[in-house]
Structure formats: structure tokens, C-alpha cells
């Protein structure tokens, strides 16, 4: 006779009891602090990979991407994210500089933050004057030069007025000297006031973790340690506590500091004819005395409010007729030409390639061609926007063609360098595919409708 009781068989019992001992924390269900969709991390991964697929770090990460992405996502959701060891190396040219590169998983985090913080930062750029010329879509060094040209033309009413002086300056050791506490206060206000995403708390946590992380505490070197002996202490994170040059967030945050300075000079001081490229700025004034006073005000504001020093050796104050140098070009009334420093860098680069070519054989030269072409076109791409035909032709005829003329050529009046067909890898691949009768269909198969009888 069954009176409604259910016998215990170890499987069908639904009775719930309280544990007689606490469950170890390690075996409990992990706590979830932030609700971060996994798809957003995938999006950041894709964004991070766009120009890095051939790098060793990207290739290594792709071997275990699924596992590592899930682990990274869990760490972010559980407020347990900690950056891995960073790589540091030295760049020898054009100046000796220390560059940092985070682990690839951390660079995915950087892009995740940038995809959220970037739009509100862009909005802030527009609100303060839209004169920040670097690291923005549609902006760059060429637009900076063109904007300064137009700014001087309009300010002097077509070069008719004489009461125009150019004030220029640069921030000393900008990245290394940025005060993280001041920067975090600005970031916190901007994110809290402007960001409308549901993951605002997660973004605040991740940005703060990335900002106050010290890569110099956990790193490995890719350059000989002897190179650091020639680097001034003020230019190294091993002696300073600023931002790491090379990481994406560092560039965005440096731009924010420049935008804060832009807001002060354009709104508080009232100077509307102003542009800035990273830490290099130009502003137009009516007299030399006004310019000298403005320089004092700028130096005082930068130090007292932002803890940034105005570089004493890079202060510029001249009449506009004498021109000014900006991002590799010299702007004068009615004409703009390439700066001697840029020309010198081009010659130095080609001289190094020439020395390397003389020290190797034909196969070694062929292996250098892709890198050589990219270097040449990077300079020509800048120089061709100015009256520099004679300079381009002179450098090509003296430093490039005598050594590399058998491998490459120039077109469109020395505005572009191209490899000869037999040394162009893409052309060679296409030719091989064309010569093999059935090779193309495996690369790009043609669609054929199925027969009705099938």
C-alpha cells in the first residue's frame, strides 16, 4: 500500500537540504560582476587583427583563439582581468625611442575599450573646436598643413594684413610625463557623462585597469639592453610613470589631454585660429607682445592644470611671412614645401638600403624589395603634395636607381615606385595561376546551375 511517499533510490529524490559544511569557494559557481556580451569581444578581436594577421603574436594567438578568448571574457566579466607581460624594444630612427607592445590578448582589450570610448572622444574633439589633426579618420598630416595654410590666408585677409604672428610649441616628454590621476579624472567624467552603453561599469573598470597598469613591472626586451644607456631617463618608463608609447589607448588618452588644452586656449583664451597635432600646436596672434604673453600663459596653464611642461627649446614666435614648420612641411605665404629634415630622413633611409644591397647578393636584394618599395612610397606619398619634383627626382637618380634600377621603376613624375613585373609577388602568382590550365577554378570556382534531372 502506497501512502503517497516516494522511496529514495538516489536518483528520483527531489528533497533539498542545506549543506552541513560550506562549499569551497574554488568549486562554487564563479561570480559574474559585469554582463559583457561575448560577441563584443569577438568584434574587438576582428578589429585588432585587421592589420596584424602576419605578425607572430597574432599567428600564435590564433592557434588557441577559442580557448583564450573565453578565458579573457570570463576574466573581464568576473573583474579578474590582469594584463600579461609586455614587449619593449628600441626604435633607432629617426630618433632613439622606447616602444611598448602589449600581449595580443591585451591588445584585443585595447580595441574593445577603443570601440566604446573612441566615439565619445571624437564627439569631444568636435565640441572643443575640431582642430585635433592626428589619429582621426579623415584627418592627418596633409590636412594639418592645408588647414594651417587656409588659417593664415583667412586671418591675414589674403596676405594683405601684416599684424599676424605665429606662436608654436611642443610638450616636453609628453607621453612619459602625463599624470595618470589627472587623466583618469577626465576619463571618468567623460565616460560617466557621455557613454550610454549598458556596459558602462565594465568599461570604467577596464579603462582604469589598463590606465594604471605598469608594463615596466612585467616585460621582456626585444632589443639589447645597451641601447637604453643612450636614452635619457625622462624618455623611458623605467624612470617615469606616464603612458606607454605604442599602445592604442595611450594614443587616445594623449589626444584627450591635447583636447583639454585645446578647449582652454579656444574657449577660455578666445584664440580660434589654432591647430594641434599630438603635442605640436600652432596659434595665430596679432602682435609679438601678445604672442609672448600667450606663451607665458600656456606654460603656466600646462604646468598648473595638467602637470605638463612646455618644451623650452621648441617655442616658436615669428611673423607669418617667415613661415613655420609643421609635420614635415614648411608653410609660407603662397607656397608650401617639404622640410629639410624630411628630405634628410629620406636620403638617410635610402643610403642604408644602398649599403645593405652592396653587402648582399641578388637573392638578398630581392628579399628586400617589398620593404624598400613601402619605404620609398611612404616618403613620396608625403612629398608629392608639395612642390618637390626636383627633390624627388634628385634622390631617385642619386640614391635609388643606380643600385635598384634593375628591380624597380618610377611613374607619374616620381610620385610612385613600382617593382618590375618579375619581382612583384602578386604578378608572379597571377601569372602562375594563368599558366596552369585548371588552377584558377580552385581559387575562384564558377557557379553553375544544377540540372533539373539531378
Amino acid at each position: 500500500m502506497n501512502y503517497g511517499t516516494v522511496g529514495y533510490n538516489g536518483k528520483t529524490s527531489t528533497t533539498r537540504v542545506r549543506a552541513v559544511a560550506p562549499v569551497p569557494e574554488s568549486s562554487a559557481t564563479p561570480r559574474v560582476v559585469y554582463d559583457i556580451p561575448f560577441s563584443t569581444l569577438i568584434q574587438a578581436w576582428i578589429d585588432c587583427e585587421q592589420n596584424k594577421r602576419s605578425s607572430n603574436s597574432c599567428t600564435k594567438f590564433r592557434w588557441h583563439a577559442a580557448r583564450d578568448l573565453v578565458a579573457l571574457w570570463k576574466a573581464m566579466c568576473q573583474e579578474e582581468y590582469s594584463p600579461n607581460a609586455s614587449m619593449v624594444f628600441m626604435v633607432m630612427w629617426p630618433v632613439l625611442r622606447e616602444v611598448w607592445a602589449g600581449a595580443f590578448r591585451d591588445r584585443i582589450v585595447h580595441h574593445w575599450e577603443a570601440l566604446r570610448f573612441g566615439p565619445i572622444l571624437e564627439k569631444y574633439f568636435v565640441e572643443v573646436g575640431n582642430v585635433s589633426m592626428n589619429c582621426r579618420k579623415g584627418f592627418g598630416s596633409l590636412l594639418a598643413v592645408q588647414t594651417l595654410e587656409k588659417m593664415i590666408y583667412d586671418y591675414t585677409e589674403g596676405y594683405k594684413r601684416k599684424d599676424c604672428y605665429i606662436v608654436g610649441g611642443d610638450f616636453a616628454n609628453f607621453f612619459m610625463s602625463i599624470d595618470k590621476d589627472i587623466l583618469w579624472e577626465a576619463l571618468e567624467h567623460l565616460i560617466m557623462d557621455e557613454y550610454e552603453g549598458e556596459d558602462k561599469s565594465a568599461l570604467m573598470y577596464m579603462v582604469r585597469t589598463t590606465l594604471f597598469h605598469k608594463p615596466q613591472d612585467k616585460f621582456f626586451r626585444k632589443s639589447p639592453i645597451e641601447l637604453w644607456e643612450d636614452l635619457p631617463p625622462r624618455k623611458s618608463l623605467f624612470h617615469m610613470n606616464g603612458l606607454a608609447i605604442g599602445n592604442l589607448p595611450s594614443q587616445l588618452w594623449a589626444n584627450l589631454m591635447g583636447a583639454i588644452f585645446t578647449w582652454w586656449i579656444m574657449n577660455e583664451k578666445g584664440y580660434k585660429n589654432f591647430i594641434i597635432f599630438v603635442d605640436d600646436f600652432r596659434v595665430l596672434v596679432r602682435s609679438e607682445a601678445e604672442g609672448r604673453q600667450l606663451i607665458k600663459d600656456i606654460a603656466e596653464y600646462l604646468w598648473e592644470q595638467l602637470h605638463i611642461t612646455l618644451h623650452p627649446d621648441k617655442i616658436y614666435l615669428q611673423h607669418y611671412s617667415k613661415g613655420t614648420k609643421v609635420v614635415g612641411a614648411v608653410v609660407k605665404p603662397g607656397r608650401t614645401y617639404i622640410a629639410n629634415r624630411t628630405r634628410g630622413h629620406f636620403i638617410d633611409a635610402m643610403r642604408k638600403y644602398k649599403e645593405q644591397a652592396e653587402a648582399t647578393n641578388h637573392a638578398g636584394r630581392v628579399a628586400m624589395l617589398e620593404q624598400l618599395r613601402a619605404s620609398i612610397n611612404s616618403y613620396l606619398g608625403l612629398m608629392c603634395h608639395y612642390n618637390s619634383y626636383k627633390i624627388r627626382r634628385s634622390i631617385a637618380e642619386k640614391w635609388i636607381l643606380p643600385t635598384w634600377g634593375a628591380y624597380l621603376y618610377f611613374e607619374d613624375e616620381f610620385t610612385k615606385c613600382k617593382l618590375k613585373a618579375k619581382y612583384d609577388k602578386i604578378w608572379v602568382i597571377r601569372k602562375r595561376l594563368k599558366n596552369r590550365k585548371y588552377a584558377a577554378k580552385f581559387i575562384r570556382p564558377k557557379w553553375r546551375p544544377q540540372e533539373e534531372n539531378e
Side-chain angles (χ1 to χ4, degrees):
M1 190 72 174
N2 191 336
Y3 294 96
T5 60
V6 179
Y8 176 72
N9 59 10
K11 296 182 180 179
T12 59
S13 176
T14 59
T15 306
R16 297 179 181 271
V17 296
R18 185 168 58 184
V20 297
V23 179
E25 184 178 353
S26 59
S27 63
T29 302
R31 65 190 184 105
V32 177
V33 182
Y34 304 115
D35 184 15
I36 302 174
F38 185 70
S39 59
T40 62
L41 203 61
I42 296 293
Q43 182 184 12
W45 177 38
I46 295 173
D47 191 64
C48 182
E49 271 196 339
Q50 282 187 355
N51 299 317
K52 298 294 183 181
R53 290 198 172 187
S54 61
S55 66
N56 294 334
S57 58
C58 180
T59 303
K60 184 177 179 180
F61 184 86
R62 289 174 67 90
W63 277 102
H64 304 287
R67 179 198 66 187
D68 294 342
L69 282 174
V70 171
L72 177 60
W73 172 63
K74 289 182 178 180
M76 294 169 61
C77 292
Q78 298 169 17
E79 205 176 42
E80 296 176 353
Y81 168 73
S82 178
N84 285 350
S86 299
M87 177 179 65
V88 60
F89 58 94
M90 299 291 286
V91 175
M92 306 294 294
W93 186 89
V95 294
L96 190 64
R97 180 174 296 149
E98 177 186 274
V99 180
W100 295 80
F104 194 82
R105 69 183 284 271
D106 298 326
R107 280 183 263 174
I108 294 175
V109 171
H110 297 166
H111 282 260
W112 185 88
E113 297 171 3
L115 289 173
R116 282 144 188 80
F117 179 70
I120 61 176
L121 182 59
E122 178 65 24
K123 180 181 177 182
Y124 184 68
F125 284 148
V126 175
E127 290 178 352
V128 300
N130 205 28
V131 294
S132 181
M133 296 293 167
N134 63 295
C135 297
R136 298 173 61 194
K137 291 184 178 180
F139 292 77
S141 57
L142 178 60
L143 183 62
V145 174
Q146 294 173 345
T147 301
L148 183 60
E149 285 179 320
K150 186 177 186 303
M151 193 169 70
I152 295 175
Y153 182 85
D154 294 340
Y155 195 73
T156 59
E157 299 177 2
Y159 309 123
K160 296 178 181 179
R161 298 188 60 164
K162 302 300 181 183
D163 54 343
C164 174
Y165 287 78
I166 302 174
V167 175
D170 201 323
F171 304 156
N173 312 312
F174 183 36
F175 280 78
M176 299 298 171
S177 62
I178 288 180
D179 191 315
K180 291 186 177 181
D181 292 327
I182 294 177
L183 176 57
W184 170 245
E185 184 179 356
L187 287 169
E188 187 178 23
H189 282 293
L190 193 59
I191 295 174
M192 291 300 295
D193 294 341
E194 299 295 336
Y195 188 67
E196 298 178 354
E198 297 180 356
D199 53 356
K200 179 184 291 188
S201 299
L203 179 60
M204 294 283 288
Y205 161 70
M206 294 301 299
V207 169
R208 182 178 177 84
T209 303
T210 303
L211 173 61
F212 288 99
H213 169 65
K214 296 182 179 180
Q216 62 269 33
D217 293 342
K218 189 178 180 182
F219 67 93
F220 61 95
R221 300 179 192 267
K222 293 290 288 183
S223 298
I225 193 172
E226 294 78 13
L227 293 177
W228 272 264
E229 297 177 359
D230 299 327
L231 186 69
R234 66 180 185 276
K235 294 183 178 293
S236 174
L237 277 187
F238 294 108
H239 303 278
M240 305 291 286
N241 192 29
L243 301 181
I245 297 177
N247 289 333
L248 175 60
S250 297
Q251 187 61 63
L252 295 176
W253 297 335
N255 289 351
L256 175 59
M257 298 295 283
I260 295 172
F261 169 63
T262 299
W263 182 89
W264 173 79
I265 202 169
M266 296 189 71
N267 294 275
E268 289 289 330
K269 301 297 292 183
Y271 291 95
K272 302 300 182 182
N273 294 279
F274 172 86
I275 63 168
I276 184 170
F277 194 95
V278 191
D279 59 343
D280 190 9
F281 64 89
R282 298 291 183 272
V283 58
L284 304 183
V285 298
R286 284 299 180 191
S287 66
E288 184 178 353
E290 184 182 0
R292 293 185 183 277
Q293 182 60 47
L294 179 59
I295 292 173
K296 293 180 180 179
D297 294 341
I298 289 175
E300 181 179 351
Y301 170 81
L302 289 175
W303 177 248
E304 292 183 355
Q305 300 298 324
L306 303 179
H307 294 179
I308 295 174
T309 302
L310 184 64
H311 201 303
D313 299 330
K314 296 184 179 180
I315 298 174
Y316 181 88
L317 176 60
Q318 289 284 359
H319 192 264
Y320 81 96
S321 60
K322 297 182 179 180
T324 182
K325 186 187 299 183
V326 57
V327 289
V330 178
V331 178
K332 286 188 175 181
R335 67 189 184 102
T336 301
Y337 55 90
I338 202 72
N340 290 333
R341 182 180 179 182
T342 305
R343 176 178 176 273
H345 287 168
F346 191 10
I347 293 176
D348 289 342
M350 295 305 103
R351 182 187 290 116
K352 292 180 180 179
Y353 278 110
K354 181 179 180 181
E355 294 173 356
Q356 294 176 11
E358 294 174 349
T360 187
N361 54 18
H362 172 73
R365 295 181 183 182
V366 172
M368 297 166 56
L369 288 177
E370 292 292 337
Q371 187 177 3
L372 173 66
R373 176 177 61 176
S375 179
I376 294 174
N377 285 335
S378 66
Y379 282 102
L380 295 181
L382 172 65
M383 299 175 68
C384 68
H385 294 288
Y386 313 114
N387 297 326
S388 59
Y389 170 76
K390 292 184 178 179
I391 297 176
R392 301 195 304 270
R393 179 175 179 176
S394 174
I395 295 175
E397 293 178 346
K398 184 175 182 180
W399 297 103
I400 302 176
L401 291 177
T403 305
W404 301 99
Y407 304 93
L408 52 80
Y409 62 96
F410 294 88
E411 61 179 20
D412 298 333
E413 298 183 345
F414 297 94
T415 59
K416 186 177 182 180
C417 169
K418 298 188 70 174
L419 300 181
K420 291 186 177 180
K422 61 182 179 179
Y423 300 112
D424 190 332
K425 293 182 179 180
I426 296 179
W427 185 88
V428 171
I429 291 174
R430 288 176 177 173
K431 182 179 179 181
R432 290 177 179 176
L433 290 175
K434 185 176 180 180
N435 291 342
R436 294 180 182 272
K437 188 174 182 181
Y438 299 104
K441 70 177 182 179
F442 297 106
I443 304 300
R444 188 178 57 188
K446 293 183 178 181
W447 177 83
R448 295 180 179 179
Q450 295 183 357
E451 298 293 339
E452 295 181 359
N453 296 331
E454 293 181 0

